[in-house]
Amino acid sequence: MKAFSGFTMPLLLCLAFVLFYSGSGKVTQDAFNDLYYDASATTQCLAEPGITMYGGGIIVNPQFTYGTYGWTVSGQGEIAERVSRTNNGFMAAYNRKLPLDSFSQKVLLEKGEFYMFSAWVQVSEGSETVSAVFGTGGGEFVPGGSVVAEHGCWSLLKGGIAANSSGPVDLLFESKNTSKEIWVDNVSLQPFSKKQWRFHQDQSIEKVRKGKVRLQVTYPYSKAGVGGATVLIKQTKPDFAFGCGMNSHILKSTDYQNWFASRFKFTAFTNEMKWYSTEKKQGQENYTIADAMLKFAQDNKISIRGHTVFWDDPKYQTDWVKALSPKELQEAAERRINSIVSRYAGDVIAWDVVNENLHFSFLEDNLGKNASSIYFSKAYKLDPSARMFVNEFNTIEFGGDVKVSPWNLKKRLEGMLSYPGNEDIPAGIGVQGHFGPGQPNLAYMRSSLDILATTGAPIWLTEVSVEPGLYQAQYLEEVLREAYSHPAVEGIIIFAGPLPAGFSATALTDMNFNSTPAGDVVDKLIKEWKSDDLKARTDEGGFFGTSLLHGEYEITIIDPITNSSSTSIFEVTKDSSEKIFHIQME
Ligand SMILES: *[C@@H]1O[C@H](CO)[C@@H](O)[C@H](O)[C@H]1NC(C)=O
Ligand SMILES: *[C@@H]1O[C@H](CO)[C@@H](O)[C@H](O)[C@H]1NC(C)=O
Ligand SMILES: *[C@@H]1O[C@H](CO)[C@@H](O)[C@H](O)[C@H]1NC(C)=O
Ligand SMILES: *[C@@H]1O[C@H](CO)[C@@H](O)[C@H](O)[C@H]1NC(C)=O
Ligand SMILES: *[C@@H]1O[C@H](CO)[C@@H](O)[C@H](O)[C@H]1NC(C)=O
Ligand SMILES: *[C@@H]1O[C@H](CO)[C@@H](O)[C@H](O)[C@H]1NC(C)=O
């Protein structure tokens, strides 16, 4: 409990209440949630293959206990069962000619189900990216996840697929360097219906977003509880950061301002802090618009993610930046980071320091391969109160963009943090979350978040959008729920908004600020992720217990006899377990 305030009770009555908190507490395990967001997600390379998830699920002979039974050669290579020194049988693909030459198993997918995939993988020499793919026939391969596998130990390949039609598909493995053998063990493919999936999400939300609160109301100098006291609990601030990107239209439209301020407490400016916006011409910085948006946000107590100091995509450099020599670029970049980060230091909660520096390398190509690490360090020195983020797309959205796989993003961040002096920078992982118009692959998304979570850094979805399509609203809801239910996700910013402000891809309103179906989803979730006002009475022993979403609350206790009341504030956080609070009033 942080503080108590606003006591309205007359001095005559003495009333005390004690709050007992517990965080997640003990969660009943059932067959599903036992394996949900499993702690087995690891990026360590293990001497022996790790767990066969779900006993292998629908995979036949998942541990290669029966040799190669159930598996066939795919492509031109050869396959064989191998046995490790500890007598563990695994599968090897060798004499490979093409990346997809490996072994495969036909599995039957059912439309509408999500399939969690995992396997333990190594290669016969060095290290190499190995992917799981699902051949749907006709030469089409749907990516199901990838891992940078090493020789000498087993790495976890975790991913999944969303089946958008029913029928047989071939599970197989892919690796570009055909002179390396692919070794695999303990494979698993487990289907979940959408109903089960939602059940898992709700279970996880109970566990990771709520805390139990128990209080007892007593009078001072007496241990006896006060039964029948009225308890009023009102959430004053939700803990989970669910926000929305905003753009400069907000400065001109009171409708947009009202729409925004009545919904969100977190934001990022979609373009207005970018280098190409604030320094269109070299040496002529202009922060007029960003400053005005900052003021609007601050006036409305909206926290801001600073987006973005640099952007590593060469396509988005202004012409004058592109024309600079490396030495001139270095000077210009130095001025840029000093200018924007010190200008908004203390005003933003986070910085995207170098946007998309896994996909692209404009700075590294011109300034040396440590550029991102150096700017991470600079940004942090200029604004030590903000969290420093990497920010990439396709990491959770799409398994086929191997360059930005969760494994590679994790490695990129760790590389930057291992640069001398960067070890203690509070870092965050930004995953943009730009989804296409089709069924989002939530199995892959969850697996990716699991892998990213092994860094220990908080994950934010920073730019969520879903392209227009028949099921846009439903898919947006699925993505948002998936993120909210993941224990490592601490915030979500959607890059969406009213149509008059130009948000035509994921429009949340029409031209007259009437909610679209996607807008209704956002409003529904805002409401759901806040606690409703609660009114209850203490039991005979003076006790009352409930489970509350993390956040700040105001609690009022009304004496059953005199009607005198006392009000105080308290906080439920994921760390507030087993704390006992006393309130004494005279
Ligand atoms: C992995 O597979 C081996 C057989 O290849 C089996 O002996 C072992 O129990 C499996 N490990 C786990 C943790 O399931
Ligand atoms: C492919 O793997 C072999 C064996 O590890 C290695 O010698 C070779 O350099 C690799 N080729 C490429 C292009 O990485
Ligand atoms: C799902 O649909 C997409 C787009 O229509 C297609 O490319 C993909 O192969 C389908 N996936 C499966 C598993 O059928
Ligand atoms: C800075 O930008 C604002 C908003 O676009 C514009 O009105 C103003 O003229 C600019 N200032 C200069 C000095 O260019
Ligand atoms: C990058 O930083 C590392 C660690 O300080 C250093 O050893 C290396 O020489 C640097 N590389 C370049 C290209 O500056
Ligand atoms: C307390 O409030 C109730 C309901 O408003 C009322 O009936 C009762 O008379 C009040 N008691 C006192 C002591 O004011």
Side-chain angles (χ1 to χ4, degrees), residues 208-228:
V208 304
R209 304 278 173 225
K210 290 186 179 177
K212 291 199 175 73
V213 173
R214 206 165 130 76
L215 62 92
Q216 188 186 24
V217 178
T218 56
Y219 296 117
Y221 319 117
S222 160
K223 286 217 163 66
V226 180

Side-chain angles (χ1 to χ4, degrees), residues 61-107:
N61 190 20
Q63 302 184 347
F64 306 99
T65 319
Y66 309 104
T68 59
Y69 174 78
W71 296 86
T72 53
V73 179
S74 73
Q76 308 174 41
E78 293 178 70
I79 63 171
E81 190 204 2
R82 298 269 176 79
V83 175
S84 75
R85 266 171 301 177
T86 57
N87 214 23
N88 168 36
F90 60 89
M91 182 71 118
Y94 61 102
N95 280 343
R96 302 168 54 236
K97 309 276 183 304
L98 294 168
L100 277 167
D101 291 349
S102 63
F103 31 83
S104 71
Q105 183 167 119
K106 211 170 266 311
V107 291

Side-chain angles (χ1 to χ4, degrees), residues 35-316:
L35 299 169
Y36 187 69
Y37 298 129
D38 58 290
S40 74
T42 177
T43 44
Q44 276 173 355
C45 203
L46 306 179
E48 294 293 330
I51 194 165
T52 312
M53 294 281 293
Y54 312 107
I58 60 172
I59 298 293
V60 173
N61 190 20
Q63 302 184 347
F64 306 99
T65 319
Y66 309 104
T68 59
Y69 174 78
W71 296 86
T72 53
V73 179
S74 73
Q76 308 174 41
E78 293 178 70
I79 63 171
E81 190 204 2
R82 298 269 176 79
V83 175
S84 75
R85 266 171 301 177
T86 57
N87 214 23
N88 168 36
F90 60 89
M91 182 71 118
Y94 61 102
N95 280 343
R96 302 168 54 236
K97 309 276 183 304
L98 294 168
L100 277 167
D101 291 349
S102 63
F103 31 83
S104 71
Q105 183 167 119
K106 211 170 266 311
V107 291
L108 203 57
L109 300 189
E110 223 170 290
K111 183 178 171 159
E113 308 236 310
F114 297 117
Y115 292 78
M116 286 296 277
F117 174 79
S118 67
W120 292 85
V121 183
Q122 66 169 298
V123 286
S124 56
E125 279 179 73
S127 83
E128 190 70 28
T129 297
V130 176
S131 306
V133 291
F134 295 88
T136 59
E140 202 205 346
F141 297 98
V142 180
S146 66
V147 66
V148 183
E150 291 172 39
H151 177 66
C153 56
W154 296 92
S155 300
L156 175 64
L157 197 176
K158 206 169 186 306
I161 181 170
N164 47 20
S165 60
S166 295
V169 304
D170 289 309
L171 160 67
L172 62 160
F173 296 87
E174 176 175 20
S175 161
K176 290 232 159 59
N177 189 331
T178 53
S179 46
K180 292 184 170 122
E181 298 178 11
I182 301 174
W183 299 354
V184 171
D185 202 359
N186 295 10
V187 187
S188 167
L189 189 68
Q190 174 68 33
F192 295 95
S193 67
K194 280 203 168 174
K195 209 170 146 195
Q196 286 170 324
W197 203 264
R198 177 65 191 275
F199 172 77
H200 291 173
Q201 291 175 335
D202 291 343
Q203 293 269 304
S204 180
I205 289 165
E206 280 297 315
K207 196 173 146 186
V208 304
R209 304 278 173 225
K210 290 186 179 177
K212 291 199 175 73
V213 173
R214 206 165 130 76
L215 62 92
Q216 188 186 24
V217 178
T218 56
Y219 296 117
Y221 319 117
S222 160
K223 286 217 163 66
V226 180
T230 304
V231 178
L232 303 168
I233 296 179
K234 184 182 166 62
Q235 192 182 48
T236 48
K237 189 169 169 240
D239 180 67
F240 187 78
F242 181 36
C244 188
M246 66 165 75
N247 66 25
S248 60
H249 283 84
I250 203 146
L251 301 174
K252 288 169 285 182
S253 161
T254 47
D255 285 337
Y256 186 12
Q257 289 170 10
N258 294 336
W259 179 88
F260 199 103
S262 62
R263 285 172 173 76
F264 300 107
K265 288 287 167 226
F266 291 85
T267 194
F269 307 163
T270 53
N271 296 317
E272 291 76 0
M273 278 192 187
K274 286 173 181 161
W275 196 3
Y276 67 55
S277 300
T278 63
E279 195 176 353
K280 289 184 178 132
K281 289 195 190 124
Q282 185 170 14
Q284 297 181 20
E285 288 180 336
N286 188 336
Y287 288 102
T288 309
I289 291 174
D291 282 354
M293 289 170 73
L294 183 97
K295 180 169 187 314
F296 168 77
Q298 288 180 333
D299 287 350
N300 290 282
K301 298 195 167 58
I302 296 164
S303 302
I304 305 162
R305 297 188 74 258
H307 175 76
T308 176
V309 182
F310 294 112
W311 192 352
D312 237 348
D313 188 345
K315 200 164 73 213
Y316 293 101

Side-chain angles (χ1 to χ4, degrees), residues 408-430:
N408 286 332
L409 186 55
K410 175 186 143 80
K411 266 206 320 210
R412 182 72 168 114
L413 177 64
E414 286 172 353
M416 287 158 66
L417 291 176
S418 67
Y419 184 75
N422 284 6
E423 297 82 1
D424 297 326
I425 293 180
I429 296 180

Side-chain angles (χ1 to χ4, degrees), residues 368-370 419-420:
K369 74 172 176 61
N370 292 328
Y419 184 75

Side-chain angles (χ1 to χ4, degrees), residues 343-394:
R343 184 176 198 89
Y344 297 127
D347 289 330
V348 299
I349 55 169
W351 283 108
D352 291 333
V353 182
V354 185
N355 197 35
E356 297 170 6
N357 68 352
L358 200 49
H359 266 113
F360 307 107
S361 54
F362 176 76
L363 294 177
E364 286 74 10
D365 293 346
N366 288 287
L367 305 177
K369 74 172 176 61
N370 292 328
S372 288
S373 310
I374 291 166
Y375 291 130
F376 228 56
S377 159
K378 282 225 164 94
Y380 178 61
K381 287 201 180 102
L382 291 166
D383 188 4
S385 63
R387 192 172 281 278
M388 302 295 141
F389 277 74
V390 290
N391 193 46
E392 266 296 353
F393 63 93
N394 273 352

